[in-house]
Amino acid sequence: MSAENALLEARALQIAAAGELDIDYEGVVSSPCVNVCKMTPDRSYCEGCFRALDDIRIWSKSDASIRRLIWLSALDRAGITLPAVTSKAVS
């Protein structure tokens, strides 16, 4: 696992522990940003948080459900599985 993946996984575990990835959570879902803001050479996603450029653009205007979807997409892109979180958030 790369250092960036490890940072994102640690951030995801922190957010999940706070309940922010739960389907019924209606508060503000924290950003997956890990302060490693560098796009891949093909500019398809950030190497730190694994969000696509469109995900980064819409984040501030998104509600909790969209933010959870962005989180799950980023985790999937990074190859990170949080079974207790993903199954609960997607069901």
Side-chain angles (χ1 to χ4, degrees), residues 7-64:
L7 287 172
L8 183 62
E9 183 174 31
R11 179 96 173 118
L13 290 170
Q14 177 186 41
I15 299 306
E20 294 183 33
L21 297 180
D22 293 349
I23 192 98
D24 57 351
Y25 183 79
E26 294 182 15
V28 176
V29 176
S30 299
S31 171
C33 182
V34 294
N35 295 316
V36 179
C37 303
K38 180 180 175 190
M39 297 303 287
T40 58
D42 66 359
R43 302 197 47 80
S44 60
Y45 63 88
C46 174
E47 292 181 1
C49 67
F50 289 82
R51 287 183 291 172
L53 197 53
D54 286 341
D55 295 339
I56 294 168
R57 283 186 187 124
I58 68 169
W59 183 265
S60 65
K61 295 178 179 87
S62 298
D63 64 16

